[in-house]
């Protein structure tokens, strides 16, 4: 009897300790959960669940439900399904439990079981939009998978590690740099994330060599990365500013993601600076994406005023700062999560969502501007599915903004897993994205995609005449199909844009301190992809501009016939800039008498002006001046590339030239024998438009306006 009593005491004490241990684990788990550290919380909840006797059905069911919620959040799909089923078996599930179970079954590819779960959820929640979308997903996903699409998808193991690699982003003038986020061992910091159970993410980069082959990815070893989470980056059109997501750790405070900026200087990225989008400090801001024109920053947030879960928002970016936050609203946002916005250069918005009908977890969707040409256009991908035609839905609080048509690009771009983070190789429908498809641990990997299309594009370069590229330039693009765009150029002064057949386009290159330059383009239908190339040499307003290829008869002022091409280009320039007056000057070398050189150069300048007047340029816009040898040429940096013996700012005086070898002397004398112009005024004709002199003078001193120039609006 005494022995039996001892056993009873031991069992009671053991049960007491087990119960206390389970309760302690639950308290630790709840603490981790409140901080958003779901991986660490799941370890504690699992410990508590395992220590709970099966006969304590209510308690065991409640703990299974908490464990399931953590597994759902960290993409442990199969474990989440088992935990939800346990909670339901212990009669602790509700309608939301069925909804979440259905979502996990979708991610597992168990479409029939998912359909049953969503129907069970709808029995209690008949109006639930997420349950309706889930049911539609379970019914449509098998058909999408069977139908397929023109997309070809390939896992790119060269970029991937044994951990998570995600959110690729191509940048560079030739899209020869691939940035992405990785939790691989080379990431900074020694601690494991309480959210994922892996190291915190850092931003890595891979470069292409001269043969177009990708080099081994390397961690960015500047202050850009830290022991915290950094990732999901995006770049301004000139690639000089990076927007990125950063998530710091505080042992006593929930994790809130923030958007930061980093500046590139001398090929190195600076330490991130937090970007204050709103005054709300209790919401997360993540996944920044810059619009193709650089005027909007799109991002993901759970701040108040959204439609539920995570929404996509945007804020205007200008030289004066940021302001005017807008929720994109329907049809893009839903009660679910909309995340990872990015843009194809043609203006199409790509994003990921689990609130729209999809194939499993996060699916990639395309939001196309609802314009007449878009509605009438025929897609090359016959299996692209149009989900919504939002002809009346526009961005909230933005009456002039564009409405969207939402499309699902089908399988295999989308899968039963999470698919997100698109980036494009220029205007082509190819590039990279990330997905955790087929990974039991829920880790993400980088994939490539290709969708062959017949794409017609235009590529242009804006640069200073006789100089270098102008990365601050803007190009206005107008087409007779209603196209009206303002394009920012990249760091090399170039731009790319998709164009449509049977359309007439006009392009206007502009930059502060330079004259405008116009180009026209007629696009004909083609049977294969084609690229048009345009050049925009901009003449300086403040410095002399060389008129190249002007020829005169030897020792005479007579213009030679081969000069007409250059002169006609000058006429075009003056017609494109009708408010400009110029001084047309001719120059000689030091050979010959001063008086003779002066008369010869004056006559040459007058003959050029006569040609311009005969071809329609008003005489009062032109001032011919012959300087003889009075103004020797000042060497620009660009010229030193052609003539290495010269240095920038060298002045080609007689003394300077005579100190050179004979061959170099002749080169310098040729450079001095030149015809050029300089802008005198930019207000010609403005006084005739009932404008005061004061106002006209003020306009001439202002920087070019940001909107389309008045003489270039359709």
């Amino acid at each position: 009897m005494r022995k039996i009593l001892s056993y009873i005491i031991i069992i009671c004490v053991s049960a007491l300790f087990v119960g206390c241990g389970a309760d302690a684990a639950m308290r630790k788990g709840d603490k981790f959960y409140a901080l958003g550290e779901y991986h660490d919380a799941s370890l504690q909840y699992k410990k508590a669940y395992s220590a709970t006797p099966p006969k304590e059905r209510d308690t065991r069911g409640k703990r299974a439900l908490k464990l399931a919620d953590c597994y759902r959040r960290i993409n442990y799909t199969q474990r989440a399904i088992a935990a939800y089923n346990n909670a339901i078996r212990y009669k602790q599930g509700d309608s939301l439990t069925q909804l979440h179970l259905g979502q996990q079954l979708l991610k597992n590819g168990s479409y029939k079981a998912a359909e049953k779960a969503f129907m069970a959820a709808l029995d209690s929640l008949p109006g639930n939009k997420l349950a309706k979308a889930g049911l539609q997903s379970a019914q449509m996903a098998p058909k999408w998978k069977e139908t397929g699409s023109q997309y070809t998808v390939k896992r790119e193991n060269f970029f991937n590690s044994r951990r998570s690699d995600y959110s690729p982003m191509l940048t560079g003038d030739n899209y020869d740099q691939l940035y992405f986020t990785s939790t691989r061992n080379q990431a900074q910091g020694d601690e494991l994330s309480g959210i994922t159970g892996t190291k915190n993410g850092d931003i890595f980069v891979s470069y292409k060599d001269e043969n177009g082959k990708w080099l081994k990815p390397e961690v960015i070893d500047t202050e850009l990365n830290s022991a915290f989470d950094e990732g999901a980056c995006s770049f301004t059109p000139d690639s000089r500013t990076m927007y990125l997501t950063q998530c710091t750790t505080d042992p006593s405070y929930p994790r809130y993601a923030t958007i930061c900026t980093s500046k590139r200087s001398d090929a190195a990225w600076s330490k991130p600076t937090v970007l204050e989008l709103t005054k709300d400090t209790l919401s997360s801001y993540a996944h920044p994406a810059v619009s193709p024109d650089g005027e909007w920053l799109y991002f993901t947030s759970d701040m108040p005023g959204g439609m539920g879960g995570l929404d996509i928002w945007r804020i205007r970016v200008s030289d004066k700062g940021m302001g005017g936050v807008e929720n994109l609203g329907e049809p893009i946002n839903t009660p679910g999560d909309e995340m990872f916005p990015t843009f194809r250069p043609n203006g199409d918005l790509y994003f990921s969502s689990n609130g729209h009908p999809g194939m499993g977890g996060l699916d990639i969707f395309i939001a196309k501007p609802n314009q007449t040409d878009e509605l009438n256009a025929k897609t090359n991908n016959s299996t692209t599915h149009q989900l919504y035609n939002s002809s009346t839905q526009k961005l909230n609080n933005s009456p002039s903004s564009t409405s969207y048509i939402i499309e699902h690009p089908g399988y295999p771009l989308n899968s039963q897993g999470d698919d997100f983070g698109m980036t494009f190789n220029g205007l082509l429908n190819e590039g990279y994205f990330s997905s955790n498809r087929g990974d039991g641990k829920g880790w993400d990997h980088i994939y490539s995609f290709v969708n062959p299309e017949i794409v017609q594009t235009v590529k242009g370069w804006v640069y200073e005449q006789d100089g270098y590229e102008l990365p601050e330039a803007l190009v206005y693009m107008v087409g007779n199909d209603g196209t009206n765009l303002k394009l920012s150029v990249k760091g090399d002064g170039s731009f790319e844009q998709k164009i449509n057949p049977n359309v007439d386009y006009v392009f206007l290159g502009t930059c502060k301190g330079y004259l405008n330059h116009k180009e026209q383009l007629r696009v004909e239908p083609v049977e294969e992809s084609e690229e048009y190339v345009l050049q925009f040499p901009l003449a300086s307003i403040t410095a002399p501009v060389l008129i190249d290829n002007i020829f005169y008869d030897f020792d005479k002022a007579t213009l030679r016939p081969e000069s007409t091409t250059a002169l006609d280009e000058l006429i075009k320039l003056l017609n494109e800039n009708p408010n400009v007056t110029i001084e047309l000057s001719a120059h000689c070398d030091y050979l010959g008498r001063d008086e003779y050189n002066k008369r010869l150069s004056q006559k040459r300048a007058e003959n050029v002006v006569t040609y311009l007047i005969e071809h329609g340029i008003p005489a009062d816009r032109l001032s011919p001046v012959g300087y003889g040898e009075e103004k020797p040429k000042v060497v620009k940096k660009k010229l030193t590339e052609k003539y290495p013996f010269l240095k920038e700012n060298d002045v080609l005086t007689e003394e300077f030239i005579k100190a050179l070898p004979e061959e170099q002397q002749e080169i310098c004398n040729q450079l001095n024998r030149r015809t050029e112009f300089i802008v005198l005024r930019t207000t010609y004709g403005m006084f005739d438009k009932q404008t005061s002199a004061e106002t006209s003078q003020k306009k001439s001193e202002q920087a070019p306006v940001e909107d389309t120039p008045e003489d270039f609006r359709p």
Side-chain angles (χ1 to χ4, degrees):
M1 184 68 182
R2 192 176 291 175
K3 186 179 287 187
I4 294 174
L5 184 60
S6 298
Y7 280 133
I8 293 173
I9 293 172
I10 292 171
I11 292 171
C12 291
V13 172
S14 299
L16 179 64
F17 279 121
V18 169
C20 292
D23 291 340
M26 288 299 299
R27 288 193 294 272
K28 288 182 180 179
D30 289 342
K31 182 179 179 181
F32 287 132
Y33 189 95
L35 295 173
E37 297 179 350
Y38 303 115
H39 178 270
D40 287 352
S42 72
L43 297 178
Q44 297 300 321
Y45 290 151
K46 183 179 180 181
K47 184 186 297 185
Y49 177 83
S50 300
T52 305
K55 65 180 182 180
E56 297 181 19
R57 297 181 61 85
D58 289 350
T59 303
R60 194 170 172 85
K62 291 177 182 177
R63 292 174 178 178
L65 197 58
K66 286 199 170 185
L67 183 58
D69 189 51
C70 288
Y71 286 152
R72 175 175 66 88
R73 293 176 182 272
I74 60 177
N75 290 323
Y76 284 13
T77 302
Q78 292 183 343
R79 295 184 186 183
I81 292 172
Y84 278 124
N85 282 326
N86 283 335
I88 294 171
R89 180 163 57 91
Y90 287 117
K91 301 188 183 302
Q92 290 300 313
D94 56 15
S95 301
L96 288 178
T97 304
Q98 292 287 352
L99 172 63
H100 292 151
L101 174 60
Q103 292 171 335
Q104 296 303 298
L105 289 167
L106 274 180
K107 294 186 71 173
N108 198 50
S110 304
Y111 297 123
K112 290 294 184 182
E115 187 174 352
K116 292 180 180 179
F118 288 124
M119 291 179 69
L122 286 169
D123 284 341
S124 301
L125 302 170
N128 189 282
K129 293 182 179 180
L130 292 179
K132 288 182 177 180
L135 180 59
Q136 191 176 355
S137 298
Q139 296 168 344
M140 296 173 63
K143 299 177 183 179
W144 280 330
K145 195 168 184 178
E146 181 180 357
T147 304
S149 71
Q150 293 188 14
Y151 281 94
T152 300
V153 170
K154 177 185 177 184
R155 178 165 163 169
E156 295 293 340
N157 288 327
F158 179 77
F159 301 119
N160 294 314
S161 67
R162 297 182 177 180
R163 295 293 186 267
S164 283
D165 305 279
Y166 58 96
S167 291
M169 181 58 60
L170 286 165
T171 190
D173 295 334
N174 298 306
Y175 302 97
D176 52 1
Q177 304 168 34
L178 183 70
Y179 288 75
F180 62 93
T181 308
S182 180
T183 62
R184 63 187 66 190
N185 292 333
Q186 290 78 16
Q188 296 186 30
D190 298 322
E191 296 184 1
L192 299 182
S193 169
I195 300 176
T196 63
T198 65
K199 297 186 72 172
N200 288 324
D202 274 352
I203 298 177
F204 287 69
V205 63
S206 176
Y207 299 95
K208 279 186 178 180
D209 63 16
E210 59 275 9
N211 298 318
K213 183 180 179 180
W214 289 110
L215 301 176
K216 182 180 179 181
E218 57 189 48
V219 66
I220 300 176
D221 58 2
T222 65
E223 292 184 297
L224 178 71
N225 289 313
S226 69
F228 301 125
D229 259 318
E230 285 89 20
C233 60
S234 179
F235 301 89
T236 54
D238 61 6
S239 300
R240 295 180 178 179
T241 300
M242 174 193 298
Y243 293 92
L244 66 148
T245 307
Q246 187 179 71
C247 189
T248 58
T249 302
D250 190 324
S252 60
Y253 201 71
R255 286 187 171 215
Y256 294 109
T258 59
I259 293 176
C260 302
T261 61
S262 175
K263 301 292 185 179
R264 188 165 188 168
S265 177
D266 297 328
W269 291 103
S270 66
K271 184 178 180 179
T273 302
V274 176
L275 188 65
E276 185 180 88
L277 300 176
T278 71
K279 298 296 183 181
D280 182 358
T281 60
L282 299 178
S283 299
S284 287
Y285 305 86
H287 312 156
V290 182
S291 62
D293 58 10
E295 294 187 356
W296 294 92
L297 179 68
Y298 288 66
F299 60 95
T300 300
S301 180
D302 59 356
M303 71 175 118
M307 300 186 65
L310 296 168
D311 277 9
I312 297 176
W313 303 68
R314 71 177 187 175
I315 187 171
R316 184 175 289 278
V317 181
S318 69
D319 295 337
K320 299 179 181 179
M322 293 184 165
V325 176
E326 300 177 353
N327 185 288
L328 267 61
E330 295 181 336
I332 292 175
N333 290 321
T334 71
D337 292 329
E338 279 69 48
M339 311 163 68
F340 298 99
T342 189
F343 283 91
R344 190 176 174 184
N346 68 357
D348 291 346
L349 171 65
Y350 286 67
F351 66 98
S352 293
S353 171
N354 58 18
H356 293 282
M359 295 189 65
L362 291 170
D363 269 27
I364 294 169
F365 294 87
I366 310 170
K368 294 189 174 184
N370 189 10
Q371 300 173 347
T372 303
D373 58 317
E374 294 288 347
L375 289 171
N376 295 332
K378 295 182 179 179
T379 177
N380 289 314
N381 185 357
S382 60
T383 58
T384 295
H385 307 275
Q386 182 173 310
L387 299 181
Y388 307 97
N389 185 339
S390 167
S391 59
T392 60
Q393 290 288 346
K394 300 179 182 294
L395 297 183
N396 295 349
N397 304 316
S398 184
S400 63
S401 60
T402 305
S403 58
Y404 291 97
I405 299 170
I406 307 299
E407 294 182 359
H408 185 277
Y411 176 86
L413 186 66
N414 287 312
S415 69
Q416 63 194 49
D418 293 319
D419 306 290
F420 62 98
M422 300 282 285
T423 187
F424 293 87
N425 181 19
L427 294 172
L428 301 176
N429 200 355
E430 64 179 44
Y432 301 93
F433 71 108
S434 40
S435 176
N436 59 19
R437 62 184 69 185
D439 193 293
K441 296 182 179 179
W443 289 343
D444 307 305
H445 306 287
I446 294 174
Y447 289 75
S448 63
F449 71 92
V450 176
N451 185 354
E453 292 180 345
I454 297 176
V455 180
Q456 291 177 275
T457 61
V458 59
K459 186 168 186 178
W461 279 269
V462 187
Y463 53 92
E464 182 183 10
Q465 195 166 320
D466 300 321
Y468 293 96
E469 63 274 358
L470 296 170
E472 305 300 325
L474 292 172
V475 178
Y476 296 90
M477 175 181 174
V478 174
N480 61 0
D481 63 341
T483 300
N484 191 353
L485 300 175
K486 181 172 66 174
L487 310 175
S488 299
V489 303
K490 295 185 289 187
D492 64 346
S494 69
F495 69 90
E496 292 179 282
Q497 186 64 33
K498 183 176 180 288
I499 50 180
N500 298 317
N502 299 313
V503 179
D504 294 308
Y505 292 99
V506 181
F507 300 83
L508 186 72
T510 69
C511 190
K512 183 179 180 180
Y514 296 86
L515 300 181
N516 299 330
H517 181 86
K518 186 184 294 182
E519 290 288 341
Q520 297 181 343
L521 180 64
R522 169 68 182 179
V523 183
E524 301 292 345
V526 295
E527 295 183 356
E528 58 183 22
S529 296
E530 183 177 8
E531 181 182 73
Y532 297 83
V533 178
L534 300 177
Q535 304 283 342
F536 295 84
L538 303 190
S540 173
I541 293 176
T542 59
V545 180
L546 177 68
I547 310 173
D548 211 0
N549 296 320
I550 299 293
F551 305 100
Y552 307 91
D553 288 336
F554 178 73
D555 207 27
K556 295 181 180 179
T558 307
L559 283 167
R560 296 186 59 83
E562 54 264 40
S563 302
T564 57
T565 300
L567 291 173
D568 291 342
E569 284 295 320
L570 179 58
I571 292 170
K572 178 184 175 186
L573 177 67
L574 292 171
N575 286 328
E576 293 169 355
N577 298 270
N579 299 123
V580 167
T581 62
I582 65 171
E583 176 189 278
L584 196 293
S585 59
H587 304 262
C588 299
D589 55 35
Y590 65 84
L591 304 175
R593 300 188 310 275
D594 293 349
E595 297 82 2
Y596 177 80
N597 287 338
K598 189 79 174 270
R599 288 196 305 271
L600 179 63
S601 63
Q602 179 66 33
K603 187 61 178 176
R604 286 177 171 179
E606 290 173 356
N607 283 348
V608 172
V609 166
T610 297
Y611 183 93
L612 300 178
I613 294 172
E614 290 174 349
H615 289 77
I617 305 300
D620 57 351
R621 295 181 61 193
L622 308 168
S623 298
V625 181
Y627 286 101
E629 60 185 274
E630 294 177 5
K631 290 191 175 183
K633 187 175 182 64
V634 179
V635 176
K636 291 184 177 181
K637 185 178 181 179
K638 186 71 174 178
L639 195 61
T640 65
E641 297 178 2
K642 186 177 181 180
Y643 304 111
F645 69 91
L646 296 174
K647 298 179 181 178
E648 185 179 7
N649 296 321
D650 279 347
V651 183
L652 304 186
T653 62
E654 181 178 355
E655 182 182 3
F656 177 89
I657 295 174
K658 287 183 175 180
L660 300 174
E662 185 175 342
E663 182 178 347
Q664 296 176 0
Q665 287 185 29
E666 178 54 28
I667 292 174
C668 292
N669 283 329
Q670 290 178 3
L671 294 174
N672 273 333
R673 297 191 292 267
R674 67 197 190 277
T675 303
E676 57 191 20
F677 73 86
I678 189 170
V679 175
L680 299 177
R681 288 194 305 135
T682 59
T683 58
Y684 178 83
M686 289 185 176
F687 299 118
D688 300 331
K689 299 179 181 180
Q690 299 179 353
T691 306
S692 68
E694 181 180 352
T695 303
S696 296
Q697 182 63 30
K698 184 177 181 180
K699 285 185 177 181
S700 70
E701 295 171 354
Q702 289 176 343
V705 294
E706 290 294 324
D707 296 325
T708 307
E710 290 186 5
D711 60 348
F712 197 68
R713 294 171 186 162

